[in-house]
Amino acid sequence: MTIKQLCRRTGFLILLISLFSIKPLQAQVYPDIVRALFTTTTVNGIKIKTNIPFAYAADMVSLEIKGYSYGKSAPLDLHLCFYLFSNASGVYFHIPSISSSGAYTPKILLANEDGKVIIFIDDKVSHQKLYINAFSGLNKPTYYTGWTIVDEPLTGSNTVEPIYKNSFKGEITLPGGKWTSAGNVGIGTDVPKEKLSVNGNIRAHQIKVETANWPDYVFEEDYDLPSLNTTAEFIKANKHLPGVPTAKEVEEDGVSVGEMNKILLQKIEELTLHLIEKDKQAKNHESEINKLKEKIERIEQKITN
């Protein structure tokens, strides 16, 4: 083997060793970066001063803000995510979002303060305690040291408010109810058969029901208005109005509010048409009676004369 061939083989081996020695960039978890306990009501809010540069592609951040708010009597468990991106206007927080697994969802703001990312809890609550875990998508260990949590006003720029996003899947059990995987919600029942099933009273300022085929067709000229005699015969035979559910049907299956309103309006419109017709008949009768009266008066005058 010549020296040239040996060098070539040696170089190839070195290249292979180098390739296998390269480690892929690993994301990293940084637990308990910083913690704080406020024993009184905060004056300005809670400012979390990070060491993450407000710079393009600095990191893809996932933060856990955990703790307890004694002032709210509620656990704090937030998951905050954002990416530092840039466009023609400069660096900005790209698609900041936040979810909550606790019972306290304060207003959260992100900002650029002196070239570093600031996380601000915009709430003034007594006796807050919290700690922060982080997941660095780009493995930037120096960004996750030297954090502080203070009660100071927010004075930075590029301020944005992350949107709270929570999503549930599968079957969710509620106190006295259930949200099924089919999207049916039960209140007072764990077997909802409709999109909303309530076993109990409902109180509201207003309920709006949308329905089609509103019965204005009753006033069309070709509408077959049932006569009062026909309706009377139906009632005598069936003990309810035609087209109206029976008491037994309502008891067993319930009744649609929208559908029932349509049926009732149809009956009111039919009744209105009958009343209009009866009013015409009454006026005709009154006119005929007045004519008869006039004839009688003329006859009486002739007899008298």
Side-chain angles (χ1 to χ4, degrees), residues 146-251:
W147 289 28
T148 58
I149 303 177
V150 293
D151 179 2
E152 290 181 0
L154 183 65
T155 58
S157 60
N158 305 95
T159 304
V160 297
E161 181 180 355
I163 299 173
Y164 273 94
K165 293 182 179 180
N166 281 72
S167 180
F168 301 97
K169 191 174 184 178
E171 193 169 87
I172 302 169
T173 300
L174 307 170
K178 184 167 289 186
W179 192 335
T180 71
S181 57
N184 294 346
V185 178
I187 301 176
T189 175
D190 57 2
V191 286
K193 297 180 181 179
E194 294 81 18
K195 287 302 178 184
L196 177 61
S197 296
V198 180
N199 183 17
N201 298 332
I202 298 176
R203 182 173 181 175
H205 289 289
Q206 183 179 10
I207 297 176
K208 184 176 181 180
V209 178
E210 296 181 359
T211 185
N213 199 28
W214 203 240
D216 286 348
Y217 52 80
V218 171
F219 298 129
E220 297 294 335
E221 292 183 1
D222 59 350
Y223 179 71
D224 186 16
L225 180 66
S227 67
L228 292 178
N229 286 336
T230 302
T231 301
E233 290 175 0
F234 184 92
I235 293 173
K236 185 176 181 180
N238 300 279
K239 308 304 180 185
H240 68 93
L241 281 171
V244 177
T246 66
K248 185 178 180 181
E249 289 172 339
V250 174
E251 185 177 347

Side-chain angles (χ1 to χ4, degrees), residues 75-117:
L76 178 68
D77 192 352
L78 307 178
H79 193 166
L80 172 64
C81 300
F82 60 88
Y83 178 51
L84 291 161
F85 206 63
S86 68
N87 55 22
S89 301
V91 180
Y92 69 97
F93 294 101
H94 184 62
I95 316 179
S97 62
I98 187 169
S99 64
S100 174
S101 301
Y104 176 38
T105 53
K107 180 180 179 180
I108 302 292
L109 297 172
L110 296 174
N112 167 26
E113 194 169 287
D114 299 325
K116 298 292 178 68
V117 173

Side-chain angles (χ1 to χ4, degrees), residues 1-295:
M1 180 183 295
T2 64
I3 294 176
K4 189 175 182 180
Q5 289 174 329
L6 180 61
C7 289
R8 284 179 178 176
R9 290 189 178 184
T10 303
F12 181 68
L13 288 172
I14 292 173
L15 178 60
L16 286 177
I17 293 171
S18 299
L19 289 173
F20 281 109
S21 299
I22 296 174
K23 293 183 179 180
L25 185 63
Q26 296 290 328
Q28 182 64 45
V29 174
Y30 300 95
D32 203 7
I33 299 171
V34 64
R35 60 178 68 177
L37 171 61
F38 296 90
T39 57
T40 59
T41 302
T42 51
V43 177
N44 303 286
I46 298 177
K47 179 189 285 187
I48 303 168
K49 297 183 176 182
T50 81
N51 206 22
I52 303 172
F54 186 75
Y56 168 68
D59 204 353
M60 301 179 73
V61 185
S62 177
L63 299 176
E64 292 180 332
I65 304 174
K66 295 177 174 286
Y68 189 79
S69 172
Y70 287 93
K72 296 285 187 178
S73 299
L76 178 68
D77 192 352
L78 307 178
H79 193 166
L80 172 64
C81 300
F82 60 88
Y83 178 51
L84 291 161
F85 206 63
S86 68
N87 55 22
S89 301
V91 180
Y92 69 97
F93 294 101
H94 184 62
I95 316 179
S97 62
I98 187 169
S99 64
S100 174
S101 301
Y104 176 38
T105 53
K107 180 180 179 180
I108 302 292
L109 297 172
L110 296 174
N112 167 26
E113 194 169 287
D114 299 325
K116 298 292 178 68
V117 173
I118 296 296
I119 304 165
F120 189 73
I121 301 177
D122 191 12
D123 204 357
K124 302 174 182 64
V125 181
S126 64
H127 290 79
Q128 296 260 51
K129 65 176 184 178
L130 55 94
Y131 67 96
I132 299 176
N133 300 325
F135 179 83
S136 172
L138 301 180
N139 194 4
K140 302 287 187 177
T142 58
Y143 295 173
Y144 299 93
T145 59
W147 289 28
T148 58
I149 303 177
V150 293
D151 179 2
E152 290 181 0
L154 183 65
T155 58
S157 60
N158 305 95
T159 304
V160 297
E161 181 180 355
I163 299 173
Y164 273 94
K165 293 182 179 180
N166 281 72
S167 180
F168 301 97
K169 191 174 184 178
E171 193 169 87
I172 302 169
T173 300
L174 307 170
K178 184 167 289 186
W179 192 335
T180 71
S181 57
N184 294 346
V185 178
I187 301 176
T189 175
D190 57 2
V191 286
K193 297 180 181 179
E194 294 81 18
K195 287 302 178 184
L196 177 61
S197 296
V198 180
N199 183 17
N201 298 332
I202 298 176
R203 182 173 181 175
H205 289 289
Q206 183 179 10
I207 297 176
K208 184 176 181 180
V209 178
E210 296 181 359
T211 185
N213 199 28
W214 203 240
D216 286 348
Y217 52 80
V218 171
F219 298 129
E220 297 294 335
E221 292 183 1
D222 59 350
Y223 179 71
D224 186 16
L225 180 66
S227 67
L228 292 178
N229 286 336
T230 302
T231 301
E233 290 175 0
F234 184 92
I235 293 173
K236 185 176 181 180
N238 300 279
K239 308 304 180 185
H240 68 93
L241 281 171
V244 177
T246 66
K248 185 178 180 181
E249 289 172 339
V250 174
E251 185 177 347
E252 292 178 353
D253 302 324
V255 62
S256 166
V257 174
E259 188 63 27
M260 196 63 213
N261 278 342
K262 285 168 54 177
I263 293 171
L264 293 176
L265 180 60
Q266 179 182 354
K267 298 307 171 185
I268 291 172
E269 290 177 345
E270 291 176 349
L271 181 60
T272 300
L273 289 177
H274 282 300
L275 287 174
I276 292 172
E277 183 62 29
K278 294 299 180 185
D279 184 63
K280 288 180 180 178
Q281 293 176 3
K283 288 180 179 179
N284 289 335
H285 292 160
E286 184 179 1
S287 176
E288 291 176 358
I289 291 171
N290 288 334
K291 289 179 180 179
L292 288 174
K293 284 183 177 179
E294 290 176 358
K295 287 181 179 181

